[in-house]
Amino acid sequence: MNAHPDLAIADIANKFDAMHWQVLDKAHLTAEDLTTVVRPLSAHQEIATTLLGHSYEGTPIIRYSLGSGPLTILAWTQMHGDEPTATAAVLDWLHILLNSEPVGLPKNWQDLVTVHVIPMLNPDGAARKTRVNAQGIDINRDAKALQSPEGRILDQQVKQLAPDVAFNLHDQNPYYTAGTSTNPATIAFLAPAYHEDKHVNASRLRAKQLIAGMAGTLNYFIPNSIGRYDDTYSFRSFGDNIAASGASTILIESGAAFDDPHRQLARKMNVIALQYGLLSLLTDTYRAYSLADYYRIPDNREDGLCDTKLSHITLGLNPSYHVDISINISAKTGKSNITAIGDLRTVHGFSDIDGRGLTLADIKPYVVTSPLQLDDLAYRKLLAQGVSYFVDANGLLTHTCQLPIRVETAPLPQVFMLPGERAFFLLKNDNGVQAAVLEGKWITLNP
Ligand SMILES: [Zn+2]
């Protein structure tokens, strides 16, 4: 890709490529994963490290601060434990700011601004890979009740620091698209409302201008892959409450991209967005953007994508009918879920299969009555014969299959092709079974 026309943005993009923490290129991050990165950060003389308190289970929650200027920026990440992308990004950002001289920043920028970063506000949830904390509380619905220690820490920080600009950094599910496009929304932005009526005061206007500038900048790297998050007022959420405190509050949701399971593209976009924010606040360039520029960002559209989409599958007999089928696969459990059946022309699949000419095969279990050892080859043969799952009441089946295999202790009911069911089925034509969908994954049987 050619360099971004703005030298400062080209510079931060290049520096990310050269300097991001490779060790954080993972699908998930826990407090333990950060240790090798935060140790040199704490040791850096320009960084002030503050122990803010502890999570419910006693893990330290630390703030890293850089600069001593009057303009105050506060960013926090992973308040939802299973949303790690921005945690890597803020640590990359601090690393780049500390160990290079980014283009475009005034020489004395650290006298003009103080940047506070709280990476991983919810380490207990991160350890469990859950959205909620160890109490089962969604910290982002605890802004009023403040029953979680993590929520109290964030609330206390906002009161103490009174940030001018607050970055609330999250991950969103991979199925959002940028408007009606077929692209995943790799980044979504929101300047949250601070009132039911969604008024725009000076601080919210600044948030929207900053977002418009960020979106314009990122659009160069991820064209048509940026969404604008719904701004319905959320009374119990931190972003909305912090917006009410007078901070220009910016929600960034990291999202999916094609062939990017660790969301490294969103990670890089976070770093560029943060640096854009810093640059434009120090140079006032965000003021060139209008509310109209903000609203020009397409909607962050929910459920525009699914993991696997099969189109034009024939179902039923006399009369038969045609449907599309969408399937999602849980990143956490690996289990599939049929999400919809019918006319899904507005939904796109990360994996998109045209099933024209294929008919759903009758469901047929293989009842295991004597010891059976299966490898993929033997399993494929059974699939081709129309076996879609195994009934093994006595634990007689052992296997070395790489392909997903469904083993039940009793036969399934005949009606299994419904939303909410796991996706294990076979597709046939006049020449027999042609393909299998196994735990949502498309497998061709007769190439
Ligand atoms: Zn979240």
Side-chain angles (χ1 to χ4, degrees):
M1 177 180 285
N2 294 325
H4 191 277
D6 183 317
L7 287 178
I9 298 304
D11 175 65
I12 190 72
N14 289 336
K15 288 202 169 119
F16 174 88
D17 293 341
M19 297 176 71
H20 70 275
W21 292 103
Q22 308 256 358
V23 65
L24 302 182
D25 182 352
K26 297 179 79 174
H28 183 64
L29 295 174
T30 65
E32 222 162 70
D33 292 316
L34 307 187
T35 48
T36 56
V37 172
V38 296
R39 205 175 298 125
L41 187 62
S42 298
H44 207 287
Q45 56 176 11
E46 288 171 42
I47 285 281
T49 303
T50 310
L51 173 65
L52 302 179
H54 294 85
S55 69
Y56 189 74
E57 290 186 328
T59 303
I61 295 171
I62 312 238
R63 187 187 78 202
Y64 302 93
S65 307
L66 175 60
S68 55
L71 183 74
T72 303
I73 296 175
L74 172 65
W76 63 94
T77 74
Q78 218 167 340
M79 75 191 301
H80 292 140
D82 56 353
E83 300 178 9
T85 304
T87 298
V90 294
L91 293 168
D92 295 330
W93 187 44
L94 289 178
H95 183 61
I96 292 168
L97 288 173
L98 285 166
N99 296 293
S100 71
E101 272 184 39
V103 170
L105 287 177
K107 266 235 157 342
N108 64 334
W109 70 271
Q110 292 198 31
D111 301 330
L112 305 173
V113 59
T114 309
V115 176
H116 301 283
V117 172
I118 309 170
M120 198 178 281
L121 184 67
N122 179 7
D124 299 344
R128 290 181 173 75
K129 212 174 170 184
T130 58
R131 174 182 175 91
V132 296
N133 78 347
Q135 300 163 284
I137 293 175
D138 181 339
I139 298 167
N140 205 23
R141 300 292 180 272
D142 194 36
K144 287 280 203 288
L146 296 175
Q147 293 303 297
S148 64
E150 301 87 355
R152 284 195 292 274
I153 285 173
L154 181 57
D155 180 68
Q156 186 274 333
Q157 284 298 294
V158 171
K159 283 178 176 139
Q160 181 192 319
L161 301 171
D164 298 291
V165 179
F167 286 98
N168 183 11
L169 303 175
H170 290 254
D171 274 83
Q172 65 180 2
N173 79 47
Y175 311 120
Y176 284 93
T177 53
T180 54
S181 81
T182 59
N183 293 335
T186 303
I187 290 288
F189 289 109
L190 170 69
Y194 56 89
H195 185 278
E196 295 257 352
D197 294 340
K198 307 181 183 181
H199 310 292
V200 179
N201 60 4
S203 60
R204 191 168 183 223
L205 172 63
R206 178 167 63 179
K208 291 188 172 196
Q209 288 173 309
L210 283 164
I211 287 171
M214 288 173 186
T217 298
L218 297 191
N219 196 54
Y220 177 85
F221 300 95
I222 49 168
N224 309 312
S225 305
I226 299 168
R228 177 172 42 81
Y229 207 91
D230 172 71
D231 75 342
T232 302
Y233 177 63
S234 177
F235 179 76
R236 299 168 298 153
S237 297
F238 268 100
D240 307 61
N241 280 279
I242 293 170
S245 81
S248 296
T249 305
I250 295 173
L251 169 79
I252 304 182
E253 296 274 356
S254 292
F258 292 112
D259 303 317
D260 184 23
H262 296 177
R263 298 192 172 186
Q264 297 301 289
L265 187 56
R267 174 181 171 186
K268 178 174 175 176
M269 293 306 110
N270 270 270
V271 173
I272 296 173
L274 289 164
Q275 184 70 3
Y276 171 88
L278 182 60
L279 284 159
S280 63
L281 282 164
L282 291 178
T283 53
D284 267 355
T285 44
Y286 67 87
R287 290 180 195 273
Y289 293 92
S290 66
L291 283 180
D293 295 323
Y294 177 81
Y295 287 108
R296 212 169 284 130
I297 303 169
D299 282 331
N300 189 47
R301 191 166 69 93
E302 212 173 353
D303 299 327
L305 278 159
C306 62
D307 284 317
T308 303
K309 180 187 173 188
L310 308 169
S311 307
H312 312 294
I313 301 287
T314 304
L315 258 64
L317 271 177
N318 303 324
S320 62
Y321 54 94
H322 302 289
V323 296
D324 309 321
I325 301 167
S326 63
I327 302 162
N328 286 344
I329 302 167
S330 163
K332 199 177 285 178
T333 63
K335 285 221 164 113
S336 59
N337 176 26
I338 298 173
T339 48
I341 297 169
D343 179 354
L344 305 179
R345 72 187 79 192
T346 60
V347 179
H348 306 276
F350 282 98
S351 168
D352 240 318
I353 290 123
D354 188 347
R356 227 174 288 256
L358 292 175
T359 301
L360 184 70
D362 289 340
I363 180 167
K364 199 157 86 180
Y366 183 110
V367 181
V368 185
T369 52
S370 58
L372 174 67
Q373 250 220 317
L374 270 189
D375 57 13
D376 274 331
L377 198 67
Y379 182 29
R380 275 177 178 274
K381 271 191 193 146
L382 290 174
L383 290 166
Q385 289 165 22
V387 171
S388 55
Y389 73 100
F390 297 83
V391 177
D392 180 23
N394 301 309
L396 297 169
L397 173 64
T398 51
H399 74 89
T400 56
C401 296
Q402 299 296 311
L403 295 173
I405 181 165
R406 182 172 195 176
V407 184
E408 300 288 341
T409 52
L412 295 169
Q414 273 303 310
V415 182
F416 67 102
M417 199 66 177
L418 290 172
E421 297 290 332
R422 282 168 80 188
F424 272 90
F425 52 86
L426 301 170
L427 297 161
K428 64 179 183 184
N429 63 15
D430 291 344
N431 300 319
V433 175
Q434 300 296 306
V437 173
L438 304 176
E439 201 72 289
K441 295 200 176 73
W442 171 262
I443 312 286
T444 305
L445 294 173
N446 287 338

